Amino acid sequence: MEPDPDPGPEDGAASPESLHFHGDEEIIEVVELGSGPPDPDDLAQEMDGVDFEEDEEQEGEGADEAWGDETDEGVVGGMESPDDSEVTFAHHSASVFCVSLDPKTNTLAVTGGEDDKAFVWRLSDGELLLECPGHKDSVTCAGFSHDSALVATGDMSGLLKVWQVDTKEEVWSFEVGDLEWMEWHPRAPVLLAGTADGNTWMWKVPSGDCKTFQGPSCPATCGRVLPDGRKAVVGYEDGTVRIWDLKQGSPVHVLKGADGHQGPLTCVAANLDGSLILTGSVDCQAKLVNVATGKVVGVFRPDAVGPQPNPGEDEESESNSVESLGFCNVMPLAAVGYLDGTLAIYDLSTQSLRHRCQHQSGIVQLLWEEGAAVVYTCSLDGAVRLWDARTGRLLNDYRGHTAEILDFALSKDASLVVTTSGDHKAKVFCVQRPDR
């Protein structure tokens, strides 16, 4: 199910210089990319030495250091609960909402919480490396730039801040409307964010050159930059989906009505080459979209997952929604996680349900391993679970939190899972897999 490739300039990877930005009062002229992949040397010269090639994976510093001692963790109200974690980060004083790992080495984490604080800390021993001060509302978004040089934090009120990781200096800040989501560009020091007024913002950091993408007059509830770096998919509260051309500043496709959703978007995901996207909504549907044509090529509904509700159960069934979704990199599979605790594994080639993996509580988020057909889920019962998508079998589960897990991240080699929770803690789990 591969779409026709976009012609001409869509073939290469986007750089910040190929994206139109505007300053306070003036339009900044940019260099147009020619057809075909740009020459790396030309790009490097245009960007004053910024490297757009994927950084080579490096061995993580501190990876072989001793793990922290957890003898005092997992004791709540005088009753000991199991704790499978290796390291606990306990500097937050309220629920921890978000976590991201640095993509270059996977040795650092950034977490943000209800205590209006964000911290950068080391995975191997939980040592605090940088406190990110200045927020006056819950920090709900945090992440590292593609080269791990910068870390961004965003709070609910719309205050965004960026720090240089090595010098620990704040290099940029900006205030927008109420923040819905935030994400770094996959190839450049460019930050995107969606807000409750329907706008999607894009900045070059730290220069602050800015561009806005105006959506409908309702929140831009979720967004994702596609792998080519040239487009972004944004979902909205009114059920519409827009695929934006980041250079032109205009929507390439708008999905609405029957092609859109009947409720607010909750999540979006793209496959490895960016040819397909999945959109999820509180309407309990996940839609498969061809990026090149903007056509919906598949719809996954909950009636194909679980039994139909009995009369009188409508209120409970209406509370269900798609919470997370994603594509497998190594097989034509997709996973959809629902608030009712169902993990559905779909075969994209036949668009049929392959496995139904039931949790006892709602799924918060799911992630695929980069190089295997293994899905990780975190849920409201405070556990992380590993599922074999080929068989639907539970491979392992990890516990240690005393409240719901609110976010999690997976290292590239799938050796570590980092979780955040309503118990005010972040934890690092060392993944054990029988097949390796």
Side-chain angles (χ1 to χ4, degrees):
M1 194 186 303
E2 296 293 329
D4 294 331
D6 292 336
E10 297 298 326
D11 290 338
S15 73
E17 292 300 328
S18 69
L19 309 175
H20 289 299
F21 294 87
H22 60 77
D24 293 336
E25 298 293 338
E26 62 181 355
I27 300 297
I28 297 173
E29 292 295 323
V30 297
V31 178
E32 291 286 335
L33 290 179
S35 60
D39 183 79
D41 293 332
D42 293 340
L43 272 179
Q45 183 177 4
E46 291 167 8
M47 285 308 296
D48 296 327
V50 177
D51 185 6
F52 289 94
E53 296 300 314
E54 293 289 342
D55 292 303
E56 294 186 47
E57 294 186 9
Q58 299 182 3
E59 290 293 326
E61 295 180 5
D64 296 326
E65 293 183 20
W67 293 104
D69 185 3
E70 293 305 312
T71 55
D72 294 330
E73 296 301 330
V75 180
V76 179
M79 296 184 62
E80 185 174 352
S81 57
D83 190 351
D84 302 319
S85 67
E86 301 291 342
V87 173
T88 295
F89 181 80
H91 284 263
H92 287 280
S93 59
S95 294
V96 190
F97 289 136
C98 56
V99 60
S100 293
L101 306 186
D102 84 283
K104 192 172 183 180
T105 68
N106 275 199
T107 60
L108 305 179
V110 57
T111 51
E114 191 179 16
D115 54 5
D116 306 348
K117 294 184 181 300
F119 301 104
V120 176
W121 49 280
R122 192 163 56 204
L123 294 180
S124 61
D125 56 9
E127 181 179 347
L128 175 62
L129 301 177
L130 169 63
E131 181 174 351
C132 306
H135 288 288
K136 295 179 173 59
D137 205 343
S138 298
V139 178
T140 52
C141 300
F144 293 91
S145 59
H146 73 292
D147 57 1
S148 299
L150 303 171
V151 63
T153 56
D155 65 34
M156 289 181 66
S157 71
L159 178 60
L160 302 166
K161 289 178 171 287
V162 175
W163 282 264
Q164 187 83 27
V165 175
D166 56 357
T167 65
K168 304 181 181 180
E169 294 179 331
E170 181 179 327
V171 296
W172 179 84
S173 66
F174 198 88
E175 198 156 2
V176 293
D178 291 349
L179 185 65
E180 295 284 335
W181 58 272
M182 181 190 79
E183 180 175 281
W184 283 100
H185 190 280
R187 299 172 182 270
V190 171
L191 189 65
L192 289 90
T195 51
D197 58 10
N199 285 330
T200 297
W201 298 73
M202 182 172 69
W203 304 270
K204 286 174 64 176
V205 179
S207 70
D209 299 340
C210 175
K211 185 170 184 59
T212 56
F213 307 86
Q214 188 171 1
S217 299
C218 65
T221 52
C222 54
R224 179 64 52 90
V225 183
L226 298 187
D228 67 356
R230 295 178 173 275
K231 301 186 189 74
V233 54
V234 180
Y236 298 88
E237 190 179 68
D238 64 358
T240 61
V241 179
R242 284 164 175 78
I243 301 174
W244 291 95
D245 184 312
L246 296 180
K247 183 176 70 171
Q248 300 297 334
S250 57
V252 180
H253 302 293
V254 179
L255 286 75
K256 58 184 179 180
D259 286 337
H261 286 273
Q262 303 310 304
L265 272 288
T266 55
C267 48
V268 292
N271 67 344
L272 189 60
D273 65 5
S275 61
L276 296 170
I277 57 174
L278 273 170
T279 62
S281 167
V282 299
D283 67 5
C284 287
Q285 295 188 359
K287 296 197 173 187
L288 184 66
V289 180
N290 182 312
V291 172
T293 65
K295 300 297 184 183
V296 175
V297 294
V299 180
F300 304 115
R301 296 182 172 88
D303 53 8
V305 175
Q308 288 294 305
N310 296 322
E313 291 183 351
D314 289 347
E315 182 176 348
E316 181 179 350
S317 66
E318 288 176 0
S319 68
N320 195 19
S321 66
V322 174
E323 293 297 302
S324 187
L325 36 71
F327 291 89
C328 178
N329 286 347
V330 298
M331 294 180 67
L333 302 174
V336 180
Y338 296 87
L339 186 59
D340 71 354
T342 300
L343 169 66
I345 308 295
Y346 294 101
D347 188 320
L348 294 178
S349 57
T350 61
Q351 296 192 15
S352 60
L353 178 67
R354 183 159 175 163
H355 299 294
R356 180 173 180 263
C357 310
Q358 196 62 44
H359 299 63
Q360 295 304 309
S361 61
I363 295 173
V364 175
Q365 189 181 349
L366 67 83
L367 294 169
W368 285 91
E369 269 195 26
E370 284 196 5
V374 176
V375 185
Y376 294 63
T377 59
C378 64
S379 54
L380 295 175
D381 64 2
V384 174
R385 294 175 175 86
L386 281 64
W387 303 88
D388 186 336
R390 298 166 300 178
T391 64
R393 184 171 64 91
L394 178 66
L395 295 174
N396 217 334
D397 62 352
Y398 298 92
R399 301 174 185 271
H401 286 291
T402 57
E404 69 278 7
I405 295 178
L406 299 174
D407 194 16
F408 79 147
L410 178 64
S411 63
K412 286 185 178 181
D413 64 0
S415 64
L416 298 176
V417 173
V418 187
T419 56
T420 63
S421 170
D423 64 8
H424 307 179
K425 293 179 173 61
K427 287 181 175 287
V428 181
F429 296 88
C430 186
V431 178
Q432 303 293 332
R433 283 264 305 280
D435 57 341
R436 62 180 188 209

